[in-house]
Amino acid sequence: MITITEARKEILKSHPRIDAIYKVTGIAKYVADWNVKDVLYGAVIKSKIPHGKVKSIDVNEAKKIEGVKDIVTCFDDNTIWNAGEKFHRRRVFTDHVRYLGDIIGAVAAETKFSAKIAAETVKVEYEEYPAIFKIEDAMKPDAPKIWEDGNVKGPLVISYGDIEKDFAEADLIFKGNFKTSRVANAQLEPAASLAWWEGNRLTVVAATQSIFGCREGLAKDLGIPIENVRVITYYKGGGFGNKASDMNYDLIAAILAKRTGRPVLIEFSREDEFSLVHGRWGTDQTLEAAVKKDGTILSFRIKAYADVGAYTRAIGKFVEGPESYYSTRSWYSEIYAVYTNTPPTGHMRAPPGPQSCFATESLIDEIAYKLGVNPLDLRLKNAVTKVHNSSNLTSNGLRECLLRGAKEFNWYNRWKKPEKPKKGEIVRGVGMAMAAWHARVGYGEAKIRLKPDGRVELFVGVVDIGTGAKTTMAMIVSRYLGVPIENIDIIWGDTENTPYSIGESGSRTTSFTGNAVKEASLELREKILNLASQFTGIEKKHLEIVNGKVVSLDSSIEIDIGDLLTKTKTDYLETFVRINQELDKNMERLSFAAHFCEVEIDTETGEINVIDYLAVHDSGEIVNYLTAENQVKGGIVMGIGMALNEKLIFSDYDGSLLNGNFMTYRLPTIDKIPNIRVIFVETEDPYGPKSLGEVSIVPVPACIGNAIFNATTIRLTELPFSRETLLAKLDESVFTKV
Ligand code: MOS
């Protein structure tokens, strides 16, 4: 006989997204699907030069275009978009344009067409400044200044331990330079925002990852009380990090709506989505590792430059991560952000994660090769036990990920010492990489209500940008309250009707909001059992809720929880919970991954194909295996893109984005995706499920690069890996010497 707890686990470990049917049938309403009366359409006025000062704007001709209701420019509006730039004040409408496309004004018109034409018709006079498009040029002492305080910010330093001592004590020092390109978040739904005012109350239907983050930003930037702002997001077509606050187009919709007294909808074209909304920054990283002959890695020293474009929304470090998955005695990284007259950058899935992992894990692979040891053994030897050599982990499944992966991938049999291929050969090789990412805990809220019809309403402030958050939350209720998931209704995505949630960023939803949902479920369960105990006279400890029914352990009674309310004349039972979890001092919480892959390379054409992929993850307890596996697969597909194809290409002439659409920006296609196996090592963590969404992309480019090395002895040091470089390197260092 299985216990009740086991029975629940059986049922509730895997479930399809509860809103999948609405998405695939087109019923789900995204921002641009809203149909509001008297709506005006907004369009942005974009700079036609990459760098300069706006001297004047003539809107007279544009105003005459039929249907044009309003034109606002940098001379009429001073609003600061606080989330738009990390180190400086960025205006919503700027008079100092810093890249081609920088927004200097906006139009509201009766039709999308009129708005667009008017935005193009506005005459702008500029004082042109010299422009720079490459970080090397931006760092020259006489470079034109993109910001008053210069083009270079930093250094930001992450350090611990005695770096000089460890490098002095090293038997061997390894060094490498690695570069990563700028890439796009490339979510399917382009930027969109719909805003209207009722008196001094603003409502924004936003395509945001966080309705509360968006609301807070709008209130701050517009200088209005937060209670006067309502943000609604019922459906969001992906985000991956670039829409986790209020966005400039939200502010522009609100500003135009205020000025016209009508609702305003702004929707970006795919090209605008690519070039006006930020993507992942590029990096140039020089690493050194201090190593003992026995393979102990004593220390890492990194100097890195981040290619951040004209603006960066990043709030984190530009190179970060490996210092948390290696147990070195010391670490020193010195990071600079460098501005250029190119489109903006910001967060994308584990913002600095894959770039940093690529550099470190490639160098580690190199060290293993030179020391003549298996790269897996080198990692097992140096895998983190104490973070920064001082903090304990709440749980640590890294070794288990490595060992389990080795077994399932048959690593020790498949891995052979790298060998030089013969010209024209099709060769295979295997690679691996490990990674960690933050698994934070924090503030969350949830409200749950049981009604006499037996339905349970969960009020939760998530958006569900594609992560399956609504389903996850429903499953947590189902599991801890003991009701079938079909009986749960989720009320989400509206700051007016739901309690606070961090939203979907930083892989935090399941911990922050999910733990509140769990507590709320347990509290409501107590309330139901108390009522049932009073009603039946059976002691509470002999009662349990199973499948939406209160049952006594001796099976003598069975009451539907809805009927219990009816029979006791209770209108409803409700509970509201706030949690604010904090880690103890000197504790760290991380999720871990070990990835393994095999590549096949045509040495004639340079074509690289990933033909097998295994991902082993420690994200603690998994709530929904189905969506968790999907998350990991999505991260790997994104990582394959970063490794093999994806690169935002900017013009050397004016810094404009040359491949800002799905035809020319090369996302990986399905024929390039191998069979991906995902295994979860479910460590027990005192704070419950750990993070998952971001860590899945972190080791991918490094894993593939290491497999390429294993197949060819060629170390590719720049992302994306290009066929040309591979062929050139093969010609130069392999074939000539055969
Ligand atoms: Mo994110 S890159 O924290 O949405």
Side-chain angles (χ1 to χ4, degrees):
M1 197 184 104
I2 56 167
T3 66
I4 289 165
T5 324
E6 282 166 356
R8 281 190 196 157
K9 277 192 183 167
E10 283 299 312
I11 304 162
L12 292 164
K13 273 298 207 177
S14 191
H15 199 278
R17 284 169 170 75
I18 53 178
D19 57 1
I21 187 75
Y22 304 112
K23 290 182 178 174
V24 297
T25 54
I27 290 169
K29 223 161 99 174
Y30 293 83
V31 176
D33 297 328
W34 281 60
N35 200 350
V36 296
K37 217 170 141 268
D38 291 331
V39 73
L40 290 171
Y41 297 90
V44 291
I45 304 168
K46 293 180 282 181
S47 164
K48 294 202 167 60
I49 63 164
H51 197 198
K53 191 91 183 162
V54 178
K55 286 205 305 198
S56 68
I57 301 177
D58 178 355
V59 299
N60 289 320
E61 283 302 307
K63 273 199 168 154
K64 285 184 207 151
I65 291 169
E66 197 185 325
V68 171
K69 284 287 159 206
D70 185 39
I71 301 179
V72 58
T73 74
C74 55
F75 298 113
D76 322 310
D77 186 287
N78 274 319
T79 308
I80 298 291
W81 179 26
N82 285 291
E85 155 63 28
K86 160 79 176 158
F87 302 103
H88 309 88
R89 282 160 74 82
R90 177 175 178 184
R91 290 179 61 187
V92 174
F93 305 116
T94 186
D95 64 341
H96 180 167
V97 298
R98 295 183 174 87
Y99 73 102
L100 197 133
D102 214 351
I103 296 173
I104 56 183
V107 179
E110 298 286 353
T111 67
K112 281 185 192 179
F113 186 73
S114 297
K116 206 176 151 206
I117 297 294
E120 291 293 323
T121 306
V122 166
K123 285 193 187 65
V124 185
E125 260 200 295
Y126 305 94
E127 180 190 343
E128 287 200 42
Y129 300 158
I132 29 171
F133 313 119
K134 298 220 176 313
I135 61 171
E136 306 85 77
D137 297 329
M139 287 191 286
K140 289 178 183 157
D142 57 345
K145 281 185 181 175
I146 295 165
W147 293 95
E148 271 166 28
D149 60 344
N151 300 333
V152 182
K153 270 283 163 193
L156 295 133
V157 172
I158 305 173
S159 98
Y160 65 84
D162 190 340
I163 187 99
E164 300 304 334
K165 178 169 167 276
D166 290 337
F167 268 82
E169 283 180 14
D171 296 321
L172 298 154
I173 292 174
F174 293 87
K175 191 170 177 176
N177 175 269
F178 300 89
K179 292 187 176 69
T180 65
S181 298
R182 304 241 308 253
V183 293
N185 295 52
Q187 59 278 333
L188 274 183
E189 184 190 25
S193 190
L194 168 66
W196 66 85
W197 294 78
E198 287 149 293
N200 56 9
R201 282 188 50 86
L202 169 67
T203 299
V204 176
V205 182
T208 184
Q209 299 178 220
S210 168
I211 49 175
F212 290 92
C214 184
R215 180 175 74 157
E216 198 184 313
L218 284 167
K220 186 177 174 195
D221 295 344
L222 296 172
I224 54 176
I226 203 159
E227 316 81 69
N228 288 4
V229 185
R230 175 181 188 180
V231 175
I232 300 169
T233 307
Y234 293 142
Y235 289 94
K236 167 91 195 87
F240 309 117
N242 74 1
K243 285 157 187 173
S245 67
D246 65 325
M247 298 299 288
N248 50 350
Y249 42 84
D250 296 318
L251 290 162
I252 295 168
I255 290 165
L256 289 171
K258 181 88 180 178
R259 289 167 57 99
T260 57
R262 305 219 345 227
V264 173
L265 172 68
I266 293 187
E267 195 185 357
F268 277 7
S269 65
R270 181 64 61 194
E271 275 78 7
D272 282 351
E273 168 68 32
F274 264 94
S275 62
L276 306 188
V277 187
H278 63 264
R280 190 189 292 279
W281 58 83
T283 61
D284 179 330
Q285 308 172 57
T286 302
L287 274 72
E288 286 174 286
V291 183
K292 282 289 201 193
K293 262 186 266 171
D294 70 353
T296 306
I297 297 160
L298 297 176
S299 182
F300 276 104
R301 178 154 56 196
I302 301 174
K303 190 168 188 181
Y305 299 94
D307 172 8
V308 300
Y311 302 93
T312 187
R313 282 165 43 70
I315 52 166
K317 297 145 186 163
F318 297 95
V319 168
E320 188 198 5
E323 74 285 355
S324 69
Y325 40 94
Y326 280 96
S327 263
T328 56
R329 294 200 311 217
S330 61
W331 182 281
Y332 179 85
S333 47
E334 185 180 306
I335 309 153
Y336 299 86
V338 186
Y339 290 92
T340 55
N341 295 110
T342 58
T345 60
H347 297 122
M348 179 176 168
R349 202 173 202 158
Q355 301 95 306
S356 309
C357 183
F358 168 58
T360 311
E361 285 294 81
S362 297
L363 191 68
I364 289 285
D365 201 61
E366 198 68 27
I367 295 169
Y369 179 64
K370 301 246 170 80
L371 293 178
V373 300
N374 191 302
L376 180 68
D377 296 334
L378 187 63
R379 288 185 175 86
L380 282 167
K381 188 176 181 68
N382 291 284
V384 71
T385 49
K386 272 179 182 264
V387 179
H388 295 182
N389 206 17
S390 62
S391 299
N392 286 315
L393 283 152
T394 56
S395 58
N396 181 355
L398 181 55
R399 282 185 71 83
E400 209 181 326
C401 288
L402 290 164
L403 294 170
R404 183 77 191 277
K407 182 163 167 267
E408 299 291 338
F409 193 79
N410 197 13
W411 173 262
Y412 286 105
N413 286 319
R414 287 169 80 175
W415 185 83
K416 305 260 174 345
K417 285 209 168 117
E419 272 176 31
K420 296 186 175 187
K422 294 197 180 64
K423 198 164 179 125
E425 249 185 347
I426 290 175
V427 288
R428 290 185 177 188
V430 294
M432 60 151 310
M434 66 183 190
W437 197 247
H438 306 282
R440 297 181 170 98
V441 292
Y443 185 81
E445 294 182 355
K447 186 170 95 174
I448 308 192
R449 182 186 290 162
L450 170 66
K451 298 187 302 176
D453 61 3
R455 297 204 68 80
V456 175
E457 290 176 333
L458 171 67
F459 298 78
V460 67
V462 300
V463 172
D464 200 345
I465 63 173
T467 57
K470 288 195 294 254
T471 313
T472 310
M473 298 304 142
M475 287 175 73
I476 293 171
V477 175
S478 173
R479 177 148 179 217
Y480 290 100
L481 187 59
V483 297
I485 194 165
E486 296 76 24
N487 293 7
I488 301 165
D489 299 313
I490 310 274
I491 293 91
W492 82 98
D494 183 348
T495 57
E496 202 87 334
N497 296 327
T498 63
Y500 176 86
S501 169
I502 191 80
E504 278 89 84
S505 69
S507 304
R508 295 174 291 186
T509 322
T510 307
S511 291
F512 288 32
T513 305
N515 282 350
V517 171
K518 175 185 169 186
E519 288 309 314
S521 305
L522 291 172
E523 262 193 41
L524 183 60
R525 176 179 171 276
E526 286 299 297
K527 286 188 180 178
I528 295 168
L529 292 180
N530 282 336
L531 186 65
S533 174
Q534 282 168 20
F535 180 66
T536 59
I538 300 172
E539 265 189 280
K540 195 170 85 183
K541 66 176 185 203
H542 298 305
L543 296 172
E544 181 55 281
I545 305 173
V546 182
N547 262 329
K549 294 180 175 65
V550 178
V551 293
S552 57
L553 299 185
D554 64 4
S555 300
S556 63
I557 68 142
E558 183 180 302
I559 318 165
D560 183 274
I561 53 174
D563 292 344
L564 177 68
L565 296 199
T566 311
K567 285 177 179 159
T568 55
K569 297 196 167 48
T570 311
D571 292 338
Y572 59 86
L573 284 179
E574 189 177 283
T575 182
F576 170 75
V577 161
R578 282 195 175 101
I579 58 153
N580 196 7
Q581 295 182 310
E582 275 177 42
L583 295 183
D584 290 339
K585 252 189 125 195
N586 291 324
M587 289 299 281
E588 276 282 344
R589 191 165 182 262
L590 297 168
S591 286
F592 294 100
H595 285 195
F596 300 79
C597 77
E598 181 167 23
V599 297
E600 188 176 84
I601 294 165
D602 185 332
T603 60
E604 187 97 51
T605 63
E607 184 171 353
I608 304 161
N609 277 304
V610 182
I611 56 171
D612 189 21
Y613 208 105
L614 171 71
V616 188
H617 280 252
D618 162 25
S619 284
E621 179 196 337
I622 297 299
V623 180
N624 188 355
Y625 282 115
L626 186 62
T627 49
E629 198 177 309
N630 291 346
Q631 274 285 348
V632 175
K633 287 180 174 173
I636 291 165
V637 170
M638 229 171 186
I640 289 174
M642 203 176 161
L644 299 183
N645 315 312
E646 290 183 49
K647 177 181 186 164
L648 291 167
I649 301 167
F650 304 103
S651 159
D652 288 336
Y653 176 71
D654 62 9
S656 59
L657 178 60
L658 298 176
N659 59 341
N661 57 58
F662 284 149
M663 277 298 288
T664 52
Y665 182 79
R666 296 179 57 226
L667 289 169
T669 44
I670 193 71
D671 57 318
K672 285 285 181 186
I673 305 305
N675 179 39
I676 299 170
R677 282 177 296 154
V678 182
I679 293 170
F680 293 109
V681 161
E682 291 185 84
T683 52
E684 254 193 63
D685 188 275
Y687 300 90
K690 299 197 284 188
S691 64
L692 178 61
E694 290 175 296
V695 68
S696 57
I697 192 177
V698 178
V700 184
C703 184
I704 295 171
N706 292 343
I708 294 170
F709 179 79
N710 185 254
T712 60
T713 70
I714 298 296
R715 174 72 53 195
L716 294 178
T717 57
E718 187 166 346
L719 292 179
F721 303 130
S722 86
R723 292 182 186 202
E724 292 81 358
T725 313
L726 178 60
L727 287 176
K729 285 200 175 192
L730 279 169
D731 273 339
E732 177 190 305
S733 63
V734 178
F735 298 150
T736 50
K737 290 176 194 161
V738 176

